[in-house]
């Protein structure tokens, strides 16, 4: 993975740029000491690091606009940053860039349970949005695994999903409006507490644009009344194919669970060693969760069990209490942590049509054998969003490169099966150079034209999403 | 009338165009504007239907009715309940899925299941220079590149001509019921609908007729056992607003929500029709300011349909509010004078214009923009 050569001219003008930022922002909002900018050298994608020229941490939309105006006039690239939990390098700086972090902007600005929305500053963490409306009996639906730490700003940039998308959709389906600042400092308000755009749906294209169109400072989010209850069932299978077929049958039967999670044997074993959730030792297991009142849950779990029995399950373990539910979820929720304890790993994020699950899992197994690296599978099966974890040893020479090569092959497989490179983590720098696998140059040109309209000088997060050779002319202009 | 039969022919027609094209699907939302008419109706047919993945890929000119028949055979449906504009606008023709997508059409279930934009997983389109572009795909979670699917949804043909659309579909629930509360004033009705939508019983539609004998309707859908349970709980929760009558006859429930979806109460009546998207708690005040001849509230108050004397500028009556007003039915001269869409604030208008200039540099796809 390459990043563009930093502009030596900008680095030479560093002091002047920092002084201009200090002139328009409070003293503690500009960081340029190398020992402090180091903290911003990478995000959750730690394979690549580079400290920025400076970091600004504004507290208001006005301060964001002031900082961007300076950077625009100075021609400095700006890398927006939420909580820095991106798994694809969305907030990875370059040496000539200013990181603009919104973490200090975390206030709840308005909450209205009658109109069912909350308006927040985007530095607020995902989980704390739900917490803010909890006492009123509401929640915010998108729930990425990093929800304790990740910021709404990053959720909007990556159009984050989570485990409950099958029923509630992803960020874009729960975002009603936003306030953003364009690179030249213009403040734009899109949407609000009402539904749908009158004309072109700018809100829809800003969501998921990876911080390349503007810095989103405020968001109006849809909140939903909490269901009366929820309960999972764990179903164990002798083959991944049987589990995959069971998922397809559940969906086809008209039951719409809030979550269908899949784990394979390598993952189950690692989780058991770590969390001791009492999972059966089997080739594949599903955790299916349904919501509603007690009788409704019982009815749906009954239907699911009947479907599962057609696929020769080894075990059907229906939760009968909150404690049993917690045990069923325990292993799944500790999956990434468990993997991290035993190995280094790369987490992939491709999505495939649900119907292709059995075939793709078999093909991933073949690739795993060919590359000589174990792959553990844990993913949101209901929506086809796979998270194969490629296990490797970072200290063994060449293994990281081999793991990356295997990752690329698996993602190509996802695209060939009718899916995509990334379901919820974003392209960032990690999958930037694979974009040609999924899109023609014309497809990418159309996307880059959107950036041209919002950020004609390509200063916002410029080296992300699009292969560098395709964006070179625009970034140089 | 140009009637391309393939995506390649659409691209060819756009490249060959020497002036504006008036792009239309079934033409059921009235004239598509000035220019050479181009119909997508020959781009018809299902590309892929995977019931077990809840996905459907269809060519843009496929009639909505054909899509609904195909889905119904699998016990599925379009989640967003698209409105049929023919009764309200007095038009003929066949609504197409491309028209629904290009106008981001939805219906009463919008508040629970989203609009067309939310169900659209992927698009193929021809831009104003005749280039074919694909975006999105056919999976529910996809953040690979920019979401041009949302950008094209509701763009009224101004950025490109849709040729193919991938949709998320949903199972048809086993049962449905409508609760009806009589006699509520608009503000009280909005409060009742907000109360209902704030319960965990997943109300899938909430509408109010503010006419001489006011009625407020709430819909519940799901497994039969759930619907019975939830209707009972909801009626009890709404007791402060009156005694709810519960309708469970499937045909009656369907017919009633279809009438709300298509705004048939304003069909055939003289005057202009405005469609206002508004923050629900502002709806009652807005309705009072509108002094409309007739009205219908949907989306728990978030959507207000207004009938007003022909040629009057409803937007100036409504003043400032959180939302926007679209002129849906009026004489062409009124559309030209007042503008079909709510005027956007300057920075938003500038971005929209910049996008249109880049997707349609020759300005030949502007026909849908009044």
């Amino acid at each position: 993975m390459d990043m563009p050569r930093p502009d030596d001219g900008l680095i030479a003008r560093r002091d002047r740029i920092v002084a201009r930022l200090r002139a328009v922002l409070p003293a503690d909002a500009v960081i340029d000491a190398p020992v402090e900018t180091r903290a911003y050298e990478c995000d959750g994608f730690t394979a690549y690091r580079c400290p920025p020229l400076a970091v600004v941490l504004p507290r208001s939309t006005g301060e964001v606009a002031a900082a961007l105006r300076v950077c625009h006039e100075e021609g400095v690239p700006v890398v927006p940053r939420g909580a820095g939990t991106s798994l694809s390098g969305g907030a990875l700086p370059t040496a000539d860039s200013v990181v603009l972090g919104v973490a200090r902007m975390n206030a709840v600005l308005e909450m209205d349970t009658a109109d069912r929305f909350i308006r927040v500053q985007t530095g607020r963490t995902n989980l704390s949005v739900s917490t803010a409306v909890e006492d009123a009996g509401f929640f915010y639906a998108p729930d990425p695994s990093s929800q304790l730490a990740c910021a709404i700003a990053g959720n909007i940039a990556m159009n984050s999903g989570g485990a409950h998308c099958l029923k509630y959709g992803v960020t874009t389906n729960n975002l009603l409006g936003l306030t953003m600042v364009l690179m030249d400092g213009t403040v734009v308000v899109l949407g609000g507490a009402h539904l749908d755009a009158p004309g072109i749906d700018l809100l829809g294209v800003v969501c998921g644009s990876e911080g390349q169109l503007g810095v989103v400072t405020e968001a109006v989010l849809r909140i939903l009344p909490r269901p009366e209850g929820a309960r999972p069932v764990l179903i164990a299978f002798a083959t991944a194919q049987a589990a995959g077929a069971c998922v397809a049958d559940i969906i086809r039967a008209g039951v719409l669970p809030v979550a269908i999670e899949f784990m394979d044997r390598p993952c189950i074993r690692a989780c058991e060693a770590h969390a001791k959730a009492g999972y059966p030792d089997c080739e594949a297991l599903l955790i299916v969760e349904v919501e509603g009142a007690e009788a409704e849950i019982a009815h749906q779990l009954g239907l699911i069990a009947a479907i599962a029995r057609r696929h020769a399950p080894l075990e059907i373990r229906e939760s009968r209490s909150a404690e049993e539910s917690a045990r069923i979820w325990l292993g799944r929720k500790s999956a990434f942590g468990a993997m991290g304890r035993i190995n280094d790993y790369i987490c992939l994020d491709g999505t495939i049509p649900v119907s292709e699950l059995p075939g793709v899992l078999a093909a991933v197994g073949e690739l795993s054998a060919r590359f000589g690296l174990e792959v553990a599978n844990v993913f949101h099966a209901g929506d086809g969003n796979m998270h194969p974890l490629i296990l490797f040893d970072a200290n063994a020479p060449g293994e990281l490169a081999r793991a990356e090569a295997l990752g690329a092959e698996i993602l190509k497989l996802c695209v060939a099966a009718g899916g995509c490179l990334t379901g919820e983590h974003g392209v960032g720098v990690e999958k930037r150079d694979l974009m040609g696998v999924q899109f023609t140059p014309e497809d990418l040109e159309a996307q880059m034209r959107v950036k041209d309209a919002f950020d004609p000088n390509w200063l916002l997060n410029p080296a992300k999403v699009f292969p560098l050779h395709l964006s070179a002319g625009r970034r140089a202009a | 009338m140009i009637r391309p039969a393939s995506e390649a022919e659409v691209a060819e027609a756009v490249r060959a165009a020497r002036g504006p094209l008036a792009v239309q699907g079934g033409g059921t939302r009235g004239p598509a504007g000035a220019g050479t008419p181009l119909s997508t109706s020959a781009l018809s047919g299902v590309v892929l239907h995977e019931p077990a993945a809840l996905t459907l890929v269809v060519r843009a000119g496929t009639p909505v009715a054909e899509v609904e028949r195909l889905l119904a055979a699998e016990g599925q449906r379009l989640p967003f309940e698209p409105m049929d504009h023919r009764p309200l606008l007095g038009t003929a023709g066949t609504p197409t899925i491309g028209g629904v997508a290009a106008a981001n059409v939805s219906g009463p279930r919008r508040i629970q299941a989203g609009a067309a934009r939310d169900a659209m997983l992927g698009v193929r389109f021809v831009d104003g220079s005749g280039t074919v572009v694909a975006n999105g795909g056919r999976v529910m979670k996809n953040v690979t590149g920019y979401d041009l699917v949302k950008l094209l949804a509701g763009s009224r043909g101004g950025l490109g001509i849709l040729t193919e659309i991938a949709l998320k579909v949903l199972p048809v629930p086993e049962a449905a019921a409508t609760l009806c509360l009589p006699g509520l004033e608009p503000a009280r009705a909005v409060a009742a609908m907000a109360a209902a939508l704030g319960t965990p019983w997943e109300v899938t539609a909430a509408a109010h007729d503010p006419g001489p004998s006011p009625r407020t309707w709430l819909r519940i859908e799901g497994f039969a056992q759930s619907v019975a349970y939830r209707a009972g709980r909801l009626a009890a929760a709404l007791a402060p607003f009156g005694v709810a009558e519960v309708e469970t006859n499937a045909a009656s429930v369907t017919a009633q929500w279809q009438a709300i979806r298509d705004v048939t109460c304003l069909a055939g009546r003289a005057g202009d029709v405005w469609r206002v998207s508004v923050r629900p708690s502002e709806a009652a005040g807005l309705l009072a300011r509108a002094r409309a001849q007739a009205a219908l509230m949907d989306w728990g108050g978030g959507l207000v349909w207004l009938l007003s004397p022909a040629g009057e500028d409803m937007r100036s009556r409504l003043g400032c509010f959180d939302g926007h007003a679209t002129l849906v039915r009026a004489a062409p001269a009124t559309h030209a004078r007042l503008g079909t869409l709510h005027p956007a604030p300057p920075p938003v208008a500038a971005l929209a214009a910049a996008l249109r200039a880049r997707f349609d540099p020759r300005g030949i796809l502007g026909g849908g923009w009044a």
Side-chain angles (χ1 to χ4, degrees):
Chain A
M1 198 280 297
D2 295 320
M3 289 299 274
R5 249 186 71 82
D7 180 337
D8 293 331
L10 286 175
I11 293 173
R13 279 194 284 125
R14 181 182 167 282
D15 291 348
R16 170 195 153 91
I17 293 163
V18 170
R20 285 200 64 189
L21 288 169
R22 286 225 159 91
V24 298
L25 294 173
D28 69 344
V30 182
I31 292 172
D32 73 325
V35 66
E36 291 179 75
T37 57
R38 272 289 293 278
Y40 297 86
E41 66 181 5
C42 71
D43 51 28
F45 181 65
T46 55
Y48 300 91
R49 295 157 194 263
C50 175
L53 198 72
V55 178
V56 293
L57 301 170
R59 285 192 175 81
S60 68
T61 300
E63 287 182 12
V64 170
L68 286 177
R69 267 193 297 272
V70 167
C71 293
H72 184 247
E73 284 164 19
E74 295 287 339
V76 187
V78 172
V79 176
R81 180 180 171 107
T85 58
S86 170
L87 295 172
S88 59
L92 175 69
T94 47
D96 57 0
S97 70
V98 167
V99 166
L100 191 161
V102 296
R104 288 182 181 169
M105 300 172 58
N106 60 4
V108 171
L109 302 170
E110 190 181 1
M111 182 182 125
D112 187 332
T113 52
D115 287 335
R116 298 172 303 285
F117 75 88
I118 183 170
R119 192 159 59 88
V120 298
Q121 287 185 310
T122 55
R124 195 168 182 87
T125 61
N126 174 290
L127 188 62
S128 74
V129 171
S130 272
T131 312
V133 297
E134 196 175 13
D135 287 345
F138 283 75
F139 73 110
Y140 174 60
D143 60 343
S145 303
S146 56
Q147 68 179 146
L148 187 64
C150 66
I152 293 297
N155 289 181
I156 293 170
M158 296 311 194
N159 188 17
S160 300
H164 295 83
C165 312
L166 187 57
K167 182 168 177 186
Y168 296 116
V170 295
T171 300
T172 192
N173 311 112
N174 292 280
L175 177 67
L176 298 171
L178 56 77
T179 300
M180 69 191 288
V181 187
L182 303 182
M183 188 61 214
D184 66 4
T186 307
V187 176
V188 179
V189 178
L190 301 174
H194 61 276
L195 294 170
D196 297 335
I200 291 179
D201 187 358
L202 298 176
L203 181 66
V205 79
V206 168
C207 188
S209 61
E210 306 209 6
Q212 293 196 306
L213 303 185
V215 176
V216 179
T217 57
E218 292 177 19
V220 182
L221 306 170
R222 183 172 79 134
I223 53 172
L224 298 171
R226 261 207 321 276
E228 286 181 85
R231 229 162 8 102
V233 58
L234 181 153
I235 312 165
F237 294 94
T239 66
Q241 283 68 20
C246 183
V247 170
D249 281 1
I250 290 170
I251 289 172
R252 192 175 177 137
V255 190
L256 204 62
V258 274
I260 307 181
E261 298 289 301
F262 177 107
M263 293 167 75
D264 69 358
R265 191 191 291 275
C267 191
I268 295 165
R269 286 196 170 156
C271 291
E272 268 310 291
H274 178 56
K276 302 186 177 48
Y279 284 178
D281 187 33
C282 57
E283 203 52 47
L285 67 76
L286 297 177
I287 299 171
V288 187
E289 183 160 272
V290 297
E291 288 178 344
E294 206 28 61
E296 296 175 296
I297 291 175
H299 177 66
Q300 292 179 70
L301 289 182
L303 291 173
I304 289 165
I307 293 164
R309 277 189 213 102
R310 300 207 297 263
H311 297 279
L314 302 172
E315 185 182 343
I316 297 178
R317 189 184 297 177
E318 190 181 311
S319 155
R320 308 221 167 265
S321 67
E323 198 216 331
E324 285 182 18
S325 297
R327 279 188 78 73
I328 287 179
W329 277 113
L330 177 66
R332 168 62 185 92
K333 288 192 171 161
S334 62
F336 288 14
M339 284 298 161
R341 258 169 51 123
I342 57 168
N343 261 104
D344 299 302
Y345 67 81
I346 293 178
C347 174
L348 303 178
D349 174 44
T351 305
I352 56 167
V354 178
S355 49
E356 304 289 332
L357 269 177
V360 170
L361 285 171
V364 168
E366 284 161 28
L367 282 170
S368 160
R370 173 142 66 87
F371 279 76
L373 291 171
E374 191 165 23
V375 177
N377 284 292
V378 47
F379 57 87
H380 315 304
D383 50 37
N385 188 192
M386 304 186 55
H387 289 305
L389 302 174
I390 301 172
L391 310 182
F392 70 101
D393 178 358
N395 294 323
E399 263 203 19
L400 170 63
R402 202 156 91 240
E404 286 181 333
L406 171 56
E409 288 308 311
I410 293 175
L411 292 181
K412 287 176 189 170
L413 188 69
C414 291
V415 173
C420 64
L421 297 172
T422 171
E424 57 186 356
H425 296 173
V427 177
V429 291
E430 190 207 12
K431 284 154 296 228
R432 185 191 65 195
D433 300 325
L434 285 172
M435 289 290 271
V437 174
Q438 188 172 331
F439 295 111
T440 67
E442 290 77 22
D443 297 341
L444 292 171
E445 172 67 23
Q447 295 177 34
M448 289 192 287
R449 273 189 241 140
V450 175
K451 182 158 173 64
D452 294 342
F454 280 78
D455 175 24
N457 299 329
W458 276 62
L459 288 173
L460 266 173
N461 223 6
K464 314 286 170 66
V465 184
F466 304 105
L468 291 181
H469 69 276
L470 290 181
S471 65
R474 290 171 149 103
R475 283 181 289 111
Chain B
M1 170 82 80
I2 311 172
R3 229 172 143 258
S6 68
E7 185 176 80
E9 286 182 26
V10 175
E12 200 177 305
V14 170
R15 282 195 295 268
R18 293 290 164 263
L21 293 170
V23 182
Q24 60 174 45
T28 60
R29 281 182 295 115
T36 309
L38 183 150
S39 165
T40 59
S41 58
L43 290 169
S44 186
V46 172
V47 178
L48 179 85
H49 180 206
E50 279 199 299
L54 301 176
T55 48
L56 174 72
V57 184
V58 285
R59 293 192 186 90
T62 312
V64 174
E66 193 179 317
V67 169
E68 287 175 339
R69 261 198 311 276
L70 175 85
L71 292 175
E74 293 287 346
Q76 297 181 336
R77 67 182 180 189
L78 296 171
F80 49 93
E81 206 174 7
M83 171 183 183
D84 181 346
H85 286 77
R86 288 175 295 185
L88 181 63
L89 301 185
T91 50
T94 306
T96 64
I97 205 75
V100 164
N104 188 28
V105 177
S106 65
R109 204 177 292 109
R110 166 72 181 94
I111 46 172
Q112 197 247 353
R117 77 190 281 280
D118 297 285
M120 288 167 63
L121 304 173
V123 292
R124 293 180 64 87
F125 65 95
V126 175
D127 73 8
S129 58
T131 306
V132 175
V133 177
N135 192 265
R138 61 182 172 98
V139 290
M140 284 176 211
K141 272 165 91 177
N142 182 353
V143 296
T144 322
Y146 291 174
D147 194 346
L148 304 188
V149 180
K150 300 282 183 298
L151 196 63
L152 268 286
S155 67
R156 297 173 176 238
L159 299 176
I161 303 173
L162 291 167
T163 57
E164 190 178 297
I165 296 146
L167 293 159
K168 171 189 172 177
V169 300
L170 282 180
V172 180
E174 202 173 271
T178 304
L179 276 70
C180 176
L181 289 164
L184 299 178
E185 292 298 308
R188 221 31 212 145
V190 171
M193 292 190 284
L197 290 163
T199 69
W201 302 308
E202 296 181 316
V203 171
T204 71
H208 173 72
D209 175 358
S213 66
R215 290 277 181 283
T216 308
W217 299 284
L218 302 153
R219 182 175 62 191
I220 289 182
E221 299 172 282
F223 290 108
Q225 177 223 39
S226 272
V227 169
Y229 164 76
R230 292 177 177 209
R233 293 293 304 269
L234 188 60
L238 293 174
F241 298 96
V243 177
E245 298 159 33
V246 182
E247 174 64 70
T248 55
N249 176 280
S252 308
V253 172
T254 303
Q256 181 182 20
W257 287 101
Q258 197 162 313
I260 292 166
R261 182 194 76 183
D262 297 344
V263 203
T264 52
C265 60
L266 304 187
R269 298 181 61 173
D272 293 346
V273 173
W274 294 80
R275 180 183 184 275
V276 187
S277 175
V278 59
R279 177 175 175 167
S281 58
E282 291 185 25
L286 180 135
L287 185 64
R289 295 198 299 281
R291 301 192 307 278
Q293 295 162 313
L296 177 70
M297 282 185 184
D298 197 353
W299 299 356
L303 177 64
V304 184
W305 292 92
L306 301 167
L307 181 72
S308 69
E312 285 196 15
D313 185 357
M314 178 57 77
R315 288 187 196 107
S316 65
R317 279 193 194 179
L318 299 180
C320 194
F321 63 99
D322 184 342
H324 50 87
T326 303
L327 181 54
V328 172
R329 190 184 75 192
T334 308
H335 274 286
R337 182 165 53 84
L338 300 178
T340 300
L341 303 178
H342 204 100
V348 175
L351 287 171
L355 284 170
R356 281 203 297 278
R358 283 167 173 84
F359 280 78
D360 177 25
R362 294 181 295 157
I364 60 167
L365 300 178
W369 292 87

